[in-house]
Amino acid sequence: MRGKARTGILRRGRGHMTDVRSVRLSRRRILVDGRPELVMSGEVHYFRLRRHDWANRLDRLAEIGCTAVATYMPWLVHELPDGAVDLAGRTAEHRDLVSFLRLAAERDLLVIARPGPFVMAELKNEGIPYRVYDEHPEVHPVGWDGAPAPTRTIDYLSPAFLDEVSGWYAAIMPVLAANLVTRGGPVAAVQLDNEIGMLSWVSNSPDLTDVVLADFAAWSGGRHGPGVRSPTGSAPALHHDLGDYHRDRYARYIDFLRKQAESHGVCGVPFLINIHGTGGGRGRTYPIGISQLYRGYRGKPQMTSGSDHYLGDLTVQNVADLYVGNAFMAAVHDADQPLTSLEFEAGSGDYGEDLAQQVPPSAVDLKTRLCVAQGNRLINYYLFAGGVNPPLDLPSGDGNDRIAFTGERHGFAAPIGPEGVPGMTYQATREVTQAVRGSAHLLADMDEEHDGLALAFVPDHYLTEYCHPGDAERAAVVADLERFRGMGPRDILARALLLSGFSFPAIDLQEPGELDRARVLVLASASTLAAGVQRRVADHVLAGGRLLLAGVLPVRDVDGTPCTILADALGLRAGPLVEGTAQHFPSVRCPAEPAEVRVGVLQPLTPTDPDRADVFARDVTTGHAVGAEVRAGSGRAVVLTCDYPCHLDFWTALLARLGARPRHTHDGPFPGIVVTSTLDAAGQRLLHVLNVSPADQSLVMHRDGTPLLDGHRLHLPARSGLMLPLAVRLAHGVLAWSTCEAAGPLLLRRRGIGDAAAIDTDLSVSADGAVIQTDGHRTLLRWPDDPAARGRTVRVLLR
């Protein structure tokens, strides 16, 4: 890096954020000047827009209710052919980062800075200048059998690359430092790199350069000899150690980036790490990203992770993916680290501009509602506004000579298209942002309430990104892990929990410490489970804990050696898996269910002490147990070793055997209702109800058997959600409940059908169009059904 950027110092505008001087992380909250705040943001790429369009896009962002803007700051864009860096627009207006920051400040928008060095965003080289590869070919790693990495990844800890990154940070970080909120500017947080480790994962190409192999040998104590690049036969221990080692490298890389940023004055604001991993509209692989990166941020002060999810629509199929992804993220956070979402999909899904798919606008509404219900304190809509990819300074001869591979236009699926025209998801994004802002003063300081269970997260179950092409046994182990881990076979376990009304946290089973015996531990296990984890779970049950295990009994350690610690403690022996085929249809009979069911896989169980086992499910053909409740020590376990269908009553009954029941129940006619609640220290609640099914539903909600909302029926159209206030304090009373969402203090947003509210006050209550009924201290307000009133805001008057 042969040049330095000019630094510009900005001043804030005159709006509601003028006095912001600190942004900190504490108690899993974002504190803005010491107060919990919910930050709603949108991604706008200044370098893809003409300067005179910046104000318009930022104004549109503020208009929908966002209080922040996020943007990448690409090294590839700002470095000039002579190695100098332009951040003030002296060579091209799309490089004028300083002016863009000024415009954000004038609109009282906080800025979430994303300066890389990797940024992805469809940029060529993932945002790294061509020069880095040309001058330092050794930074491009080799993988299995010495083959060059098929992506434009880089050996993160290569000395040459770190030296180049130091130069880039020496240019960009002083600009950010001069414009931190602590110095009167808009920059409130800085993301370090982007999707670290993703490129080598998706290409099954671990970094195996000579330098890396020497470091790996030292790290592993020389356990694996010289054949690491081309292992022969089965090498389960090598694969595990390689994944483990790369996680250590990523943590070292994150530490390096933070120290570099701080050395240039970026201090006093949070650092963010972006977690990758969704694919194909699902989040089943998302925990791989968590597993890869959590060592780099867990327990690190003023640092937290953010999700990067592309799930498309939110349906009964994948709603548990998002819920569990958030829960697994929180499981590896410390007591101060909040959930955030740094790339929150808000577009139409037509990313290839081929109309191969369109995501309904309701998806952004449902996903936003679920995430804020789980405690996300920052949501960054990605991409909020599209734009144009400018040309590269030097022709590359790659077919378009632009900074990105999407062509001239970029972000054609965004809520605001490249030409500034609202797209199909703009209105839905606006409406849900305003709905969230109406309750933001509550959400910012609330935590999700959980039922008496916790879903197990085993990070090493997701240490599966590498598999040598010639190791068939390793491939089989990975397939087994992918089939049973996390959410259970066919994802039925997590889906059944969520759609049965349970709300639950996750717990990291690899983190030392005694497990909470007040909660049922729910574990979706594969055949592989580390000996230490097996021992921890076994000790938990023997000491009086309760366990629901779904999947298969673990029979081997992570290095491939036999290990049955947990099975032995439970008094169960596992038989070989029985697979369904085109000619064989394994079926299971549970006497409590009305009919036998076909399953895709089952594992026979043999209790070693039949007197301590209650078999509740059997293989129809052999009579072998596939489901048993066992007593072990002073604890109990329910073990189900088949992919039993997602019969919600069946799964609820399994949890009831162990004493866990959902607090929230309802009489909705169809599966697809997700319900949870958030609570603050003052006892104020929000009830979050989502209908992810394709059918309209009408339901009465209960909490611990008592009707909520005084038994008023909720009408939830297909693909819609509600955040309803319960026991929310007013200046002169309490909003006991409402079937309408809050639009602010004493403001309710009508839904048009079934609108009602109850206020406890000694004052007279009135509201436009409402029928008033007073009974002592409580006043009931009812509005006549009027679909045309949907979205209308009414003010409640107390006098």
Side-chain angles (χ1 to χ4, degrees):
M1 189 73 60
R2 295 185 289 277
K4 291 190 176 181
R6 178 167 65 87
T7 298
I9 300 177
L10 313 182
R11 298 298 174 210
R12 305 303 303 276
R14 298 182 178 180
H16 64 286
M17 302 297 284
T18 300
D19 297 328
V20 170
R21 288 297 179 269
S22 72
V23 177
R24 306 290 289 170
L25 308 179
S26 179
R27 299 181 297 110
R28 297 202 173 191
R29 285 147 175 73
I30 296 177
L31 303 184
V32 179
D33 285 338
R35 298 184 302 274
E37 294 282 353
L38 188 67
V39 180
M40 302 298 290
S41 174
E43 184 94 7
V44 177
H45 292 164
Y46 62 91
F47 55 91
R48 283 175 161 141
L49 293 166
R50 294 171 295 182
R51 190 200 307 264
H52 68 74
D53 288 329
W54 291 348
N56 172 268
R57 303 305 189 271
L58 294 176
D59 287 342
R60 300 303 291 267
L61 190 61
E63 285 168 4
I64 73 167
C66 286
T67 57
V69 59
T71 185
Y72 286 121
M73 299 163 180
W75 186 2
L76 173 71
V77 169
H78 288 286
E79 183 176 297
L80 307 178
D82 64 358
V85 173
D86 179 9
L87 295 165
R90 61 180 175 83
T91 59
E93 65 175 23
H94 68 271
R95 294 188 172 110
D96 193 358
L97 170 62
V98 172
S99 293
F100 182 78
L101 295 177
R102 180 176 294 113
L103 286 176
E106 290 172 356
R107 285 154 180 77
D108 290 314
L109 290 169
L110 298 173
V111 172
I112 301 162
R114 309 176 77 194
F118 280 89
V119 297
M120 286 61 180
E122 295 73 54
L123 292 172
K124 293 169 183 175
N125 300 333
E126 315 299 346
I128 306 295
Y130 284 85
R131 177 188 61 78
V132 174
Y133 296 90
D134 294 341
E135 295 181 7
H136 309 287
E138 74 275 14
V139 304
H140 191 236
V142 298
W144 296 122
D145 302 317
T151 65
R152 295 295 273 176
T153 188
I154 282 177
D155 172 5
Y156 293 116
L157 295 185
S158 166
F161 179 62
L162 294 183
D163 184 60
E164 291 286 356
V165 171
S166 296
W168 166 237
Y169 270 27
I172 185 71
M173 290 301 172
V175 174
L176 301 183
N179 294 291
L180 296 175
V181 292
T182 55
R183 299 184 181 180
V187 176
V190 176
Q191 178 182 307
L192 300 175
D193 208 276
N194 190 54
E195 300 180 3
I196 299 168
M198 180 270 292
L199 293 170
S200 60
W201 158 29
V202 298
S203 62
N204 182 26
S205 184
D207 296 350
L208 297 176
T209 62
D210 290 342
V211 173
V212 172
L213 289 180
D215 190 50
F216 175 60
W219 178 90
S220 63
R223 286 194 296 271
H224 301 293
V228 173
R229 282 193 191 128
S230 302
T232 57
S234 176
L238 169 62
H239 282 89
H240 182 272
D241 281 356
L242 269 179
D244 197 26
Y245 165 72
H246 276 75
R247 283 149 175 73
D248 181 70
R249 282 172 57 81
Y250 301 148
R252 284 188 273 160
Y253 178 57
I254 290 169
D255 285 344
F256 170 84
L257 295 178
R258 179 171 185 166
K259 289 175 182 175
Q260 286 290 309
E262 291 175 336
S263 73
H264 294 290
V266 178
C267 305
V269 298
F271 290 102
L272 307 172
I273 300 297
N274 196 22
I275 308 295
H276 49 269
T278 59
R282 299 298 309 277
R284 301 182 76 251
T285 55
Y286 179 72
I288 294 177
I290 303 173
S291 171
Q292 284 184 305
L293 298 181
Y294 77 97
R295 295 182 195 173
Y297 58 79
R298 180 163 69 179
K300 305 293 177 67
Q302 297 309 305
M303 178 180 283
T304 196
S305 71
S307 62
D308 174 342
H309 61 72
Y310 295 87
L311 296 173
D313 201 0
L314 198 70
T315 66
V316 291
Q317 180 189 40
N318 65 359
V319 65
D321 299 31
L322 181 55
Y323 190 89
V324 170
N326 283 328
F328 282 0
M329 285 175 67
V332 294
H333 280 181
D334 67 24
D336 285 330
Q337 293 173 318
L339 288 173
T340 73
S341 183
L342 296 172
E343 291 191 28
F344 192 98
E345 184 182 30
S348 68
D350 184 23
Y351 301 121
E353 208 172 14
D354 52 7
L355 291 179
Q357 74 164 341
Q358 285 189 334
V359 176
S362 57
V364 68
D365 179 275
L366 292 168
K367 289 183 286 192
T368 302
R369 290 176 179 278
L370 185 58
C371 284
V372 297
Q374 288 187 266
N376 274 249
R377 312 299 185 184
L378 181 158
I379 286 179
N380 179 44
Y381 294 124
Y382 189 98
L383 179 68
F384 177 73
V388 171
N389 292 311
L392 293 162
D393 288 292
L394 296 176
S396 62
D398 62 6
N400 69 12
D401 289 334
R402 293 185 179 274
I403 64 169
F405 53 76
T406 52
E408 184 173 359
R409 299 170 72 247
H410 182 270
F412 21 78
I416 301 292
E419 291 74 36
V421 178
M424 64 183 292
T425 63
Y426 172 78
Q427 187 60 29
T429 306
R430 177 189 178 104
E431 289 180 2
V432 72
T433 303
Q434 292 178 344
V436 168
R437 295 301 303 167
S439 294
H441 63 295
L442 298 171
L443 288 165
D445 201 24
M446 284 181 160
D447 294 299
E448 185 183 16
E449 295 186 278
H450 295 133
D451 294 310
L453 56 89
L455 185 64
F457 176 41
V458 182
D460 281 358
H461 269 174
Y462 294 89
L463 201 152
T464 53
E465 62 268 33
Y466 303 134
C467 178
H468 186 268
D471 193 335
E473 186 171 332
R474 166 65 176 174
V477 169
V478 169
D480 180 80
L481 286 164
E482 291 174 340
R483 183 177 195 175
F484 295 110
R485 67 190 177 190
M487 296 193 295
R490 289 196 287 155
D491 313 317
I492 287 170
L493 172 62
R495 191 177 294 134
L497 292 177
L498 193 61
L499 297 180
S500 294
F502 286 101
S503 55
F504 49 89
I507 184 170
D508 176 7
L509 280 190
Q510 293 177 206
E511 179 71 3
E514 186 175 353
L515 296 171
D516 182 6
R517 289 201 292 274
R519 295 186 185 277
V520 175
L521 177 64
V522 180
L523 170 62
S525 184
S527 301
T528 300
L529 187 63
V533 176
Q534 290 196 41
R535 171 52 60 197
R536 189 180 186 208
V537 176
D539 289 346
H540 171 66
V541 176
L542 294 173
R546 294 162 295 159
L547 169 70
L548 170 60
L549 187 151
V552 292
L553 276 175
V555 294
R556 59 176 171 257
D557 200 348
V558 293
D559 62 359
T561 58
C563 182
T564 57
I565 293 172
L566 180 57
D568 294 343
L570 299 179
L572 294 170
R573 289 198 302 270
L577 267 61
V578 177
E579 298 275 4
T581 67
Q583 287 79 37
H584 181 64
F585 318 107
S587 297
V588 169
R589 178 69 185 180
C590 177
E593 289 282 280
E596 66 185 45
V597 295
R598 178 185 170 186
V599 296
V601 62
L602 61 82
Q603 181 187 53
L605 299 174
T606 302
T608 57
D609 183 354
D611 292 336
R612 296 181 64 83
D614 174 19
V615 175
F616 61 81
R618 295 185 182 274
D619 180 346
V620 168
T621 301
T622 66
H624 284 134
V626 294
E629 180 181 347
V630 299
R631 299 184 302 280
S634 55
R636 289 181 296 141
V638 169
V639 179
L640 181 68
T641 52
C642 65
D643 58 337
Y644 204 91
C646 198
H647 297 172
L648 301 185
D649 289 344
F650 170 83
W651 289 94
T652 302
L654 283 193
L655 269 300
R657 282 176 170 263
L658 296 169
R661 293 174 175 81
R663 287 163 301 133
H664 294 116
T665 55
H666 59 84
D667 62 355
F670 311 114
I673 299 296
V674 176
V675 58
T676 188
S677 57
T678 49
L679 176 72
D680 70 8
Q684 302 179 110
R685 279 192 174 90
L686 287 172
L687 178 69
H688 305 262
V689 189
L690 278 67
N691 178 12
V692 299
S693 79
D696 297 348
Q697 302 213 42
S698 175
L699 58 148
V700 174
M701 294 294 312
H702 289 75
R703 182 185 176 96
D704 295 325
T706 300
L708 287 169
L709 315 172
D710 287 350
H712 278 68
R713 188 163 288 275
L714 290 178
H715 301 275
L716 271 175
R719 328 261 325 111
S720 68
L722 288 171
M723 289 179 287
L724 302 181
L726 301 175
V728 171
R729 293 181 298 175
L730 307 172
H732 301 285
V734 174
L735 177 57
W737 57 263
S738 171
T739 64
C740 303
E741 294 185 323
L746 289 175
L747 291 174
L748 298 176
R749 185 175 289 106
R750 290 198 55 189
R751 306 192 68 249
I753 298 177
D755 297 342
I759 297 177
D760 294 332
T761 181
D762 292 326
L763 301 180
S764 174
V765 181
S766 64
D768 183 38
V771 177
I772 308 296
Q773 179 182 347
T774 301
D775 183 6
H777 190 61
R778 173 160 292 187
T779 297
L780 178 65
L781 298 87
R782 294 175 181 266
W783 286 266
D785 289 351
D786 178 8
R790 182 186 180 277
R792 185 181 303 164
T793 299
V794 296
R795 181 175 295 278
V796 179
L797 300 176
L798 304 182
R799 49 190 160 194

